[in-house]
Amino acid sequence: MFGNLFEEDYSSVSSSQYGRGKKLKTKGLEPPAPREFTNLSGIRNQGGTCYLSSLLQTLHFTPEFREALFSLGPEELGSLEDKDKPDAKVRIIPLQLQRLFAQLLLLDQEAASTIDLTDSFGWTNDEEMRQHDVQELNRILFSALETSLVGTSGHDLIHRLYHGTIVNQIVCKECKNISERQEDFLDLTVAVKNVSGLEDELCNMYVEEEIFDYDNLYHCGTCDRLVKAAKSAKLRKLPPFLTISLLRFNFDFVKCERYKDTSCYTFPLRINLKPFCEQSELDDMEYMYDLFSVIIHKGGCYGGHYHVYIKDVDHLGNWQCQEEISDTNVNVKAPQSEEEANDPLVVLKTILLQEEANQIPVDQLGQKLLKKTGISWNKKYRKQHGPLRKFLQLHPQIFLLSTDESTVSLLRNHLTQAPSDLQSCEQILHTLASESPGLNDDTSCPHWFDINDSKVHPIREKDITQQFQGKESAYMLFYRKATLQRPPEARANPRYRVPCHLLKEMDAANILLQMRRAECDSANSTFELHLHLGPHYRFFNGALHPAVSETESVWDLTFDKRKTLGDLRQSIFQLLECWEGDMVLSVAKRVPAGLHVYHTLDGDDLTLCEAEVADGEDIFVWNGVEVGGVQIQTGFDCEPLLLNILHLELSGEGSKCEQLVESPHVFPANAEVGAVFTALGTPAGAILMNSVESADGECWTAVPKEDMKKTFREQGLRNGSLILVQDSDSDNNSLLPKQGRWTNSMNELNWLQVKNFCQSESEEKQVQIAVTMHTVVFDIRIKAIKELKLMKELVPDSSTLEEAEVKMGSSVGLCLGKAPTSSQLFLFFALGTDIHPGAEMDIIVEETLSVRDCLKIMLEKSGQQGEIWHLRKMDWCYEAGEPLCEEDATLKELMIRSGDTLLLTEGKLPPPGHLKMPIWWYQPARLSGHCESRDHLNCAFSQDSTWRAAPTQGAPGPEPAEVSLLYLGDMEISEEATLVELKSQALALPSVSKLAVQSTALLRVWTVESKRPSRLLRTNWRQLKEYRLGRRAELCLELLQKEEDLGPRDVLLRTQLRIPGERAYSLATDLIWDTTRGWTAGSLRQRVADFYSLPVEKIEIAKYFPEKFEWLPISSWNQQVAKRKKKKNQDTLQGGPYYLKDGDTIGIKNLLFDDNDDFSTIRDDIGKENQKRLALEKKKSREVHRAQSSDLFSNAGVPARFRGPEASLSIHVASFR
């Protein structure tokens, strides 16, 4: 995305380089494309606004919302022209929404822009590029609209269309007293996990009752005691439009990661909400709702793409019915017409013949086919003949495509048709039209469209079922009351209820669009031709050269490419009034030797496009025979080649000292290689060749005598090739290069020593350049720059901002160095995994470079040595991601893009299918029941090993925030290995052998995250790949006193009994909790009470959060499972706020001796104070660093790469109260 943003640099191009720079035509901004055959407009994506486009299209296709917004006039909302006036109250957001809806309805463009709307939101370029949640946007946009419409007649627009209420009731079983609470909603949020569909979840929410009994009684205010009760919820008020949000995204507390639920979740096209409502005495139709929009999310929980399926209620678009063509509709009475009707060549020729200029844009050709025959190209011909544009390209003998392939026309030999042929063509179209189902406007066939940003496609209603499940699945549902009827005048009428001022604005905009498209079409129909006048040229040195000056010899002519060669010839005759004799127009090209004529343009009735004349073509105007009295050979075969010939010459008259001379010579490409001897006046000798690619003097090839009759082209020589000619008597004194320097027969060295005065310590100080007396100083400078490695070859960057995906108003950085080409990548890289702003280095490499070679280059540039390094790609949260394991794969194959950051990480990657993991030793602090004490373990290890433990100051308490972990070493193991095999291999580590562990059954294995045990690995015979450890996994071992066999439902907890009268706890003890009956608080309390032999009602328990030094009491209140519920919907300690898991610390308080509410210890107070102090120090450090970085950026001009935290979605609205 950030590649190809650099300015072109032509500073190294020599002014003596052949060829004259062509005049570039500056192409203005082209007008937007017209609407496609659906006649509906999409919305352009601003970078990451697909979620916004989907919601806006849904609101646009809600006619009641759209018309209610249109009903608010300028007298209430103000005018956009007054928005910059200080005292004017202009409600910008509703006004911009009005304009956007009017553009979607009336403006003839493929896609509308939301830039003005997002500007009214107060969004910056960064916010437009950031992905957000569409459910969040729905609530925020409605809130912003309500705020914007305060004080207008539309103040209740959102409330009137989308507001509903839910009533929650609790009925006392004793006195029948009803306690109720009413909730408002604009959208209903329903669960997806463990639910089969929408109706099932609504039944769980609004039909089933929740019973309070046994140890979970309800306190009735009337009875003033705990009683049995029933809780239920019902829909009290239904809105005209019901919005339903599906909870697709969840959090896995076992794996500690987010995930998207892609399970099947059905929803009906029409739903009856009567069973879920409080009042059910109305007619059934009052509870019926029809689906009209489905917003779909494609991707995962960290990113993706939105598009929307929408039902066209007002039939504003052209929708093609998708039923298959019935074989019974075939007309058996006209077999010849049917056969021709199945021939796409005949059908397309017929359509083009009916066009006024026999020319039509390719995009409109498909629409014409659909309009005249009632059937699209994709439906009728694509399966057999491929896409329409490709079909036109495969038939150049009939169809003529423009250079940009935007328009198509018939060749001239196909334009003349007999009247009988035209009649048969009309019959063909009539036959196709009678066979096709046509455009179905039947109200019984709903018109559904898939709107994906700018693109709009018709779909079938049954296609919605494909969005029930998968990575691309429904995310928001929109229903409308079945009783809402649209007036007949609104059907297929996009101007219905649109305000007059917007109608005028859109009509004027459409006229302007038509004018711009006409101007653009006219501008795109002209060529820039360079006319080379034959009388002003002379032929010498094997090519054509201007006799006087290039200004007088070359004329520039702008010409319409739709005109013929005869018209071009006539125009040139008029320009050259003094021309005598025949005029021949030939295509010429500039070559290093000069100008060469290739072929003659014949056929005055051919257009320039048909004659394959390109924009910027060089046209040679002459008599077709000779120039300046010299007969000219034309064509590719005799193209002049400029060759550099090296040979020996005497250094002076009568001198016997020879020196090597390089001289340019021009030969026709079809000349024999032996012509070199004739040009040099040498009777015979040896010829050695060196191509341009290998001009370093290391790859010379001798030409055998039998190949002297071959042509230069047959020998593979081209412009710039080197030829070394050696006399036949010079065999003993070879002229081949030795160690990069040329030597002659007298062993004299011809070179210059170039010194490097550039201020750089890493570059070479001097270099020797081979030269002759005829070498140009410019060439010496270029060679020296290359040898000294001061700079590589300069490559200009020709990408447009659109191709580089850069928006107007974006900030770009200008960096030292050369721009990468389209095949190169601009990458950042850094050492280690702890990255600070400004610590990255950058590099430009080829995208075809392998990971291994890229690693070597980065190591060399960073000054690192060794082979124990690998590359990791920085992930979306700026942390070290997965390593690049395939070292032989190219960067392009691994989807590395310009702007990515790679991290140089120390350590060699394991082979494929293996894991390399650090192994730690873990001993919980002051844990009873373990066979080894900390002192004993410390003695078991060498003096070099140190514990990483926090100081144990203060009273006894729970395990400190910093866990004691001792590094044992790295271990490489196959993913196919089992857990017990991992334990066995870990026991073989030298550090573990000192502990004298008797059996693998006495070891627990934990994963390590944030330097503390995280997930307990159980089931010894399970393969490691089933745990999904990942390539960054770390493990720790814990020693046990006795063997244990934890089941899948067992949870290991560290329990500590609080010491009465003190702010301290006893030693921790392991407790195994069987969660087969559920993760409820009551079940845990009962297990703890049984373990400590205490009454369950006389204990209080709390979970300890060591990273916060806080205790969270686990409430004894718990919802019971409803007796009539089909699905379990009970509270679980796995969820918030407890998130209970293996290894958590549980504090127990005996209420018989200690009845206060405080669970904290002295160490907790100290830890909180330390956290506050560290947070304050970090804040000050960040402020200092930010100030220093700001000064550095402003003074030194170095662009620092700051990365801010994720920002929430917001819309800024002015106050109108």
Side-chain angles (χ1 to χ4, degrees):
M1 175 179 174
F2 301 102
N4 302 331
L5 303 183
F6 304 88
E7 290 289 338
E8 295 184 0
D9 188 351
Y10 300 98
S11 59
S12 67
V13 180
S14 171
S15 59
S16 63
Q17 192 174 2
Y18 72 90
R20 183 172 61 90
K22 297 218 173 17
K23 192 185 303 182
L24 296 176
K25 293 199 300 184
T26 57
K27 185 182 291 187
L29 289 176
E30 293 187 359
R35 300 187 180 209
E36 295 184 349
F37 71 95
T38 60
N39 199 35
L40 295 178
S41 177
I43 295 178
R44 280 192 292 275
N45 195 325
Q46 293 180 239
T49 57
C50 55
Y51 66 99
L52 174 65
S53 303
S54 300
L55 182 59
L56 290 176
Q57 289 284 13
T58 299
L59 297 178
H60 167 242
F61 279 94
T62 308
E64 291 77 6
F65 177 87
R66 184 182 68 227
E67 291 164 6
L69 197 62
F70 280 152
S71 65
L72 304 174
E75 62 279 358
E76 291 187 279
L77 301 181
S79 175
L80 289 174
E81 288 76 11
D82 301 332
K83 64 180 181 179
D84 295 327
K85 295 181 179 179
D87 298 331
K89 285 193 175 183
V90 181
R91 305 170 193 265
I92 303 178
I93 294 179
L95 288 172
Q96 293 293 2
L97 269 179
Q98 284 185 347
R99 288 188 75 247
L100 178 63
F101 288 165
Q103 291 173 358
L104 292 173
L105 287 170
L106 301 171
L107 200 57
D108 184 21
Q109 59 181 0
E110 181 186 29
S113 172
T114 54
I115 293 178
D116 292 337
L117 180 63
T118 54
D119 286 346
S120 70
F121 291 168
W123 290 1
T124 62
N125 181 59
D126 291 338
E127 289 169 310
E128 294 163 0
M129 298 294 294
R130 189 180 293 121
Q131 296 186 19
H132 284 290
D133 185 79
V134 70
Q135 297 176 4
E136 180 187 13
L137 173 69
N138 183 60
R139 301 184 183 101
I140 292 175
L141 180 59
F142 279 4
S143 175
L145 275 175
E146 284 186 317
T147 306
S148 298
L149 297 177
V150 168
T152 68
S153 59
H155 66 279
D156 61 343
L157 187 152
I158 303 299
H159 188 276
R160 187 172 70 249
L161 297 181
Y162 297 95
H163 176 263
T165 56
I166 301 172
V167 59
N168 294 287
Q169 295 182 341
I170 299 180
V171 181
C172 175
K173 295 291 186 180
E174 302 291 337
C175 65
K176 306 302 180 184
N177 178 63
I178 300 176
S179 174
E180 68 175 34
R181 178 172 55 87
Q182 182 171 294
E183 297 179 8
D184 299 330
F185 71 87
L186 295 179
D187 65 296
L188 294 178
T189 301
V190 296
V192 173
K193 185 179 181 181
N194 300 327
V195 183
S196 61
L198 176 62
E199 291 172 303
D200 188 17
E201 177 60 14
L202 290 177
C203 184
N204 290 338
M205 295 169 64
Y206 304 117
V207 174
E208 304 296 343
E209 290 184 343
E210 190 175 331
I211 306 300
F212 299 103
D213 55 8
Y214 301 112
D215 60 342
N216 185 32
L217 298 175
Y218 167 72
H219 185 274
C220 176
T222 304
C223 301
D224 195 20
R225 60 187 176 90
L226 295 176
V227 297
K228 294 184 178 181
K231 180 182 178 182
S232 63
K234 292 287 184 181
L235 296 172
R236 171 167 286 180
K237 174 182 173 294
L238 292 175
F241 297 92
L242 181 63
T243 304
I244 297 177
S245 301
L246 308 184
L247 290 177
R248 285 277 184 192
F249 300 111
N250 293 297
F251 190 85
D252 189 330
F253 296 103
V254 176
K255 300 178 183 177
C256 293
E257 62 182 13
R258 294 179 62 192
Y259 71 96
K260 179 180 179 180
D261 195 322
T262 58
S263 59
C264 182
Y265 192 87
T266 62
F267 48 88
L269 296 174
R270 169 168 284 195
I271 188 171
N272 185 1
L273 297 179
K274 188 173 184 178
F276 318 120
C277 292
E278 181 184 28
Q279 301 174 355
S280 58
E281 63 274 5
L282 300 178
D283 185 72
D284 283 356
M285 286 303 295
E286 295 295 327
Y287 303 98
M288 290 292 183
Y289 279 75
D290 292 327
L291 183 71
F292 76 97
S293 177
V294 182
I295 293 182
I296 299 156
H297 181 266
K298 178 180 180 181
C301 56
Y302 296 113
H305 178 68
Y306 289 98
H307 62 108
V308 61
Y309 285 179
I310 284 184
K311 182 179 179 181
D312 184 9
V313 179
D314 282 345
H315 289 211
L316 299 175
N318 294 328
W319 183 84
Q320 179 188 354
C321 193
Q322 300 292 315
E323 283 78 17
E324 296 292 331
I325 300 175
S326 175
D327 293 337
T328 59
N329 290 335
V330 178
N331 187 357
V332 296
K333 296 182 180 180
Q336 182 178 0
S337 179
E338 289 173 12
E339 185 177 349
E340 292 178 341
N342 289 325
D343 186 359
L345 285 174
V346 179
V347 176
L348 295 179
K349 283 174 58 178
T350 302
I351 294 175
L352 287 171
L353 284 170
Q354 294 179 353
E355 291 299 311
E356 182 177 354
N358 304 120
Q359 183 176 348
I360 188 174
V362 176
D363 295 336
Q364 295 182 16
L365 182 59
Q367 300 177 29
K368 290 283 185 180
L369 176 66
L370 175 63
K371 182 177 180 181
K372 292 182 178 295
T373 65
I375 187 168
S376 68
W377 174 273
N378 291 341
K379 187 66 180 176
K380 180 73 175 175
Y381 303 109
R382 183 184 177 98
K383 186 175 181 180
Q384 182 178 357
H385 300 283
L388 176 57
R389 193 181 301 272
K390 184 176 180 180
F391 179 80
L392 298 174
Q393 293 171 347
L394 293 176
H395 294 83
Q397 71 279 10
I398 299 177
F399 305 107
L400 176 64
L401 283 166
S402 60
T403 53
D404 57 356
E405 298 186 351
S406 61
T407 59
V408 61
S409 60
L410 284 174
L411 293 176
R412 286 186 172 272
N413 54 348
H414 291 276
L415 291 177
T416 56
Q417 294 278 352
S420 60
D421 294 337
L422 292 174
Q423 292 176 2
S424 65
C425 289
E426 292 288 347
Q427 180 64 31
I428 291 169
L429 293 179
H430 178 72
T431 302
L432 279 173
S434 63
E435 289 180 358
S436 68
L439 299 176
N440 195 329
D441 288 330
D442 187 8
T443 55
S444 63
C445 189
H447 294 189
W448 282 87
F449 294 91
D450 177 11
I451 305 182
N452 192 341
D453 287 338
S454 301
K455 300 300 180 182
V456 184
H457 301 288
I459 60 171
R460 294 172 290 187
E461 193 172 53
K462 63 181 182 181
D463 292 337
I464 300 175
T465 60
Q466 299 175 4
Q467 307 302 330
F468 284 168
Q469 61 186 345
K471 287 190 174 180
E472 183 176 6
S473 50
Y475 190 56
M476 283 189 79
L477 309 176
F478 297 83
Y479 285 88
R480 56 181 289 125
K481 258 191 176 180
T483 55
L484 293 175
Q485 299 295 326
R486 298 292 297 151
E489 56 269 21
R491 184 182 178 86
N493 181 14
R495 303 175 73 89
Y496 181 70
R497 294 280 181 92
V498 180
C500 294
H501 69 281
L502 288 176
L503 287 175
K504 294 178 180 178
E505 182 181 345
M506 295 303 112
D507 291 342
N510 278 326
I511 295 174
L512 182 62
L513 274 177
Q514 293 177 4
M515 294 174 57
R516 287 179 58 194
R517 286 174 184 146
E519 293 173 357
C520 184
D521 183 60
S522 176
N524 291 337
S525 300
T526 58
F527 272 170
E528 189 79 20
L529 302 177
H530 307 294
L531 305 180
H532 299 261
L533 308 181
H536 296 174
Y537 272 79
R538 293 293 178 266
F539 185 85
F540 57 90
N541 287 340
L544 293 167
H545 300 272
V548 187
S549 66
E550 191 166 337
T551 305
E552 297 181 11
S553 305
V554 183
W555 291 10
D556 292 335
L557 174 65
T558 302
F559 199 74
D560 193 336
K561 63 182 179 182
R562 295 169 293 186
K563 292 187 177 182
T564 64
L565 288 175
D567 298 331
L568 176 61
R569 195 187 313 276
Q570 187 64 33
S571 298
I572 297 175
F573 265 123
Q574 294 175 2
L575 289 173
L576 307 176
E577 300 176 355
C578 58
W579 187 273
E580 296 181 358
D582 296 333
M583 176 183 289
V584 176
L585 303 181
S586 299
V587 174
K589 290 184 179 178
R590 296 176 180 272
V591 294
L595 188 72
H596 181 66
V597 179
Y598 283 86
H599 63 273
T600 301
L601 297 174
D602 297 323
D604 284 356
D605 58 342
L606 296 177
T607 65
L608 297 188
C609 292
E610 293 170 338
E612 298 182 350
V613 177
D615 189 14
E617 195 81 81
D618 291 291
I619 304 296
F620 192 64
V621 184
W622 62 316
N623 58 15
V625 180
E626 52 84 23
V627 173
V630 180
Q631 190 171 357
I632 304 300
Q633 291 183 343
T634 62
F636 177 74
D637 291 338
C638 58
E639 181 182 78
L641 298 179
L642 180 60
L643 306 177
N644 296 318
I645 299 179
L646 296 166
H647 60 285
L648 287 176
E649 282 188 1
L650 296 175
S651 59
E653 186 176 354
S655 174
K656 294 184 179 182
C657 182
E658 294 179 330
Q659 64 178 5
L660 192 65
V661 176
E662 177 181 348
S663 59
H665 289 267
V666 178
F667 301 94
N670 56 1
E672 296 179 355
V673 176
V676 173
F677 298 122
T678 306
L680 295 178
T682 303
I687 295 180
L688 298 97
M689 299 185 306
N690 190 353
S691 61
V692 176
E693 291 84 355
S694 57
D696 53 2
E698 296 179 356
C699 201
W700 290 87
T701 305
V703 179
K705 292 183 178 180
E706 58 271 17
D707 290 344
M708 292 295 182
K709 296 292 185 180
K710 289 186 177 181
T711 64
F712 289 101
R713 179 154 284 147
E714 290 173 341
Q715 289 290 347
L717 293 171
R718 52 197 184 94
N719 288 301
S721 295
L722 284 174
I723 292 180
L724 176 62
V725 179
Q726 186 172 350
D727 294 340
S728 56
D729 57 352
S730 301
D731 294 337
N732 295 329
N733 296 313
S734 175
L735 296 178
L736 292 181
K738 297 177 181 178
Q739 298 179 352
R741 304 185 183 93
W742 286 100
T743 60
N744 58 19
S745 59
M746 303 298 292
N747 289 330
E748 294 179 359
L749 298 177
N750 293 325
W751 47 266
L752 290 179
Q753 181 170 283
V754 181
K755 292 185 177 181
N756 178 18
F757 291 105
C758 297
Q759 299 299 321
S760 177
E761 297 180 358
S762 61
E763 293 161 348
E764 298 179 36
K765 299 300 181 182
Q766 60 188 23
V767 70
Q768 290 179 347
I769 304 297
V771 296
T772 68
M773 294 301 295
H774 303 281
T775 305
V776 182
V777 177
F778 174 81
D779 295 333
I780 298 174
R781 181 168 66 88
I782 295 299
K783 290 180 181 178
I785 288 174
K786 291 181 179 179
E787 292 289 337
L788 291 169
K789 300 179 181 179
L790 294 178
M791 58 189 297
K792 299 178 183 177
E793 182 182 357
L794 292 178
V795 182
D797 192 321
S798 58
S799 295
T800 64
L801 291 178
E802 182 179 6
E803 292 169 345
E805 300 180 6
V806 178
K807 294 184 59 180
M808 293 298 178
S810 299
S811 298
V812 295
L814 183 62
C815 305
L816 291 174
K818 297 158 289 300
T821 65
S822 58
S823 63
Q824 291 180 325
L825 300 175
F826 182 81
L827 303 176
F828 295 97
F829 71 96
L831 288 172
T833 57
D834 189 12
I835 308 302
H836 302 283
E840 302 97 330
M841 293 169 278
D842 57 74
I843 193 173
I844 297 177
V845 295
E846 294 289 338
E847 62 181 4
T848 56
L849 194 70
S850 67
V851 174
R852 180 180 288 105
D853 294 337
C854 182
L855 176 61
K856 291 179 181 178
I857 295 175
M858 290 181 175
L859 287 173
E860 182 180 353
K861 186 168 183 179
S862 59
Q864 300 297 322
Q865 296 179 352
E867 298 182 355
I868 54 171
W869 294 86
H870 65 274
L871 288 177
R872 292 178 182 267
K873 183 179 178 182
M874 183 180 286
D875 60 16
W876 64 278
C877 53
Y878 305 108
E879 295 179 352
E882 290 296 320
L884 305 183
C885 301
E886 303 176 27
E887 294 186 339
D888 294 328
T890 65
L891 300 177
K892 184 177 182 181
E893 292 170 347
L894 296 180
M895 307 296 289
I896 304 297
R897 298 286 183 263
S898 285
D900 286 348
T901 299
L902 301 181
L903 302 178
L904 285 169
T905 309
E906 196 167 6
K908 196 170 182 63
L909 287 175
H914 286 68
L915 298 173
K916 185 175 182 180
M917 300 174 292
I919 305 297
W920 302 80
W921 185 261
Y922 167 54
Q923 180 67 27
R926 293 173 303 282
L927 185 63
S928 65
H930 282 254
C931 65
E932 301 285 353
S933 67
R934 180 186 302 273
D935 296 336
H936 179 78
L937 289 172
N938 282 336
C939 295
F941 290 97
S942 63
Q943 296 299 322
D944 295 334
S945 301
T946 57
W947 285 97
R948 301 181 186 179
T952 57
Q953 57 186 353
E959 178 182 325
E962 293 295 331
V963 179
S964 300
L965 290 176
L966 182 65
Y967 177 68
L968 301 178
D970 287 346
M971 186 174 70
E972 188 174 305
I973 189 170
S974 171
E975 291 181 329
E976 303 291 334
T978 61
L979 182 61
V980 69
E981 291 173 341
L982 181 142
K983 293 180 180 179
S984 300
Q985 190 169 335
L987 288 177
L989 293 173
S991 301
V992 182
S993 61
K994 300 177 182 179
L995 295 172
V997 180
Q998 299 176 359
S999 170
T1000 58
L1002 296 178
L1003 288 178
R1004 279 191 195 135
V1005 182
W1006 300 81
T1007 62
V1008 177
E1009 293 182 9
S1010 302
K1011 299 181 180 179
R1012 91 174 28 255
S1014 174
R1015 179 160 57 107
L1016 178 62
L1017 305 185
R1018 59 191 78 203
T1019 312
N1020 282 333
W1021 301 106
R1022 194 176 179 184
Q1023 290 184 328
L1024 297 182
K1025 64 181 180 182
E1026 299 179 29
Y1027 295 106
R1028 299 182 181 180
L1029 297 175
R1031 295 187 175 273
R1032 290 183 290 171
E1034 299 182 25
L1035 301 180
C1036 66
L1037 306 177
E1038 179 184 358
L1039 186 62
L1040 303 176
Q1041 185 178 11
K1042 61 180 179 179
E1043 297 183 5
E1044 67 178 11
D1045 184 16
L1046 296 179
R1049 297 277 186 173
D1050 293 337
V1051 179
L1052 173 67
L1053 300 175
R1054 315 284 195 192
T1055 59
Q1056 292 182 280
L1057 191 62
R1058 190 172 177 91
I1059 301 174
E1062 299 182 22
R1063 297 185 63 194
Y1065 290 85
S1066 61
L1067 296 180
T1069 306
D1070 286 349
L1071 179 144
I1072 307 299
W1073 173 36
D1074 185 2
T1075 61
T1076 305
R1077 297 183 180 180
W1079 287 68
T1080 62
S1083 174
L1084 177 59
R1085 283 167 51 81
Q1086 188 64 54
R1087 177 70 181 99
V1088 172
D1090 294 343
F1091 185 80
Y1092 283 95
S1093 301
L1094 294 172
V1096 67
E1097 67 275 5
K1098 294 300 181 181
I1099 64 170
E1100 287 291 339
I1101 59 177
K1103 180 194 169 180
Y1104 184 59
F1105 291 87
E1107 66 278 359
K1108 298 180 181 179
F1109 297 96
E1110 292 180 354
W1111 295 86
L1112 181 61
I1114 299 178
S1115 173
S1116 60
W1117 181 87
N1118 182 39
Q1119 293 183 350
Q1120 298 296 318
V1121 181
K1123 294 181 179 179
R1124 293 181 294 166
K1125 280 193 176 182
K1126 301 177 185 177
K1127 305 287 183 182
K1128 290 186 177 181
N1129 190 24
Q1130 55 186 333
D1131 283 351
T1132 171
L1133 295 180
Q1134 281 184 300
Y1138 302 104
Y1139 305 114
L1140 202 63
K1141 64 182 185 302
D1142 288 314
D1144 282 346
T1145 299
I1146 301 295
I1148 302 106
K1149 188 183 298 185
N1150 188 346
L1151 299 182
L1152 295 173
F1153 302 101
D1154 190 357
D1155 58 353
N1156 62 43
D1157 298 331
D1158 185 21
F1159 276 87
S1160 65
T1161 66
I1162 298 175
R1163 180 179 289 109
D1164 297 332
D1165 298 339
I1166 298 173
K1168 288 182 180 180
E1169 290 296 327
N1170 291 336
Q1171 282 188 335
K1172 291 180 181 179
R1173 177 176 51 79
L1174 291 175
L1176 186 61
E1177 291 176 357
K1178 286 183 179 180
K1179 182 178 179 181
K1180 293 180 179 179
S1181 176
R1182 284 196 300 267
E1183 291 176 352
V1184 172
H1185 184 271
R1186 189 180 299 113
Q1188 292 175 349
S1189 300
S1190 177
D1191 294 340
L1192 181 64
F1193 179 78
S1194 58
N1195 296 332
V1198 179
R1201 301 180 70 225
F1202 297 106
R1203 299 188 178 98
E1206 292 186 14
S1208 60
L1209 182 64
S1210 62
I1211 296 177
H1212 307 286
V1213 188
S1215 177
F1216 299 102
R1217 298 186 182 276

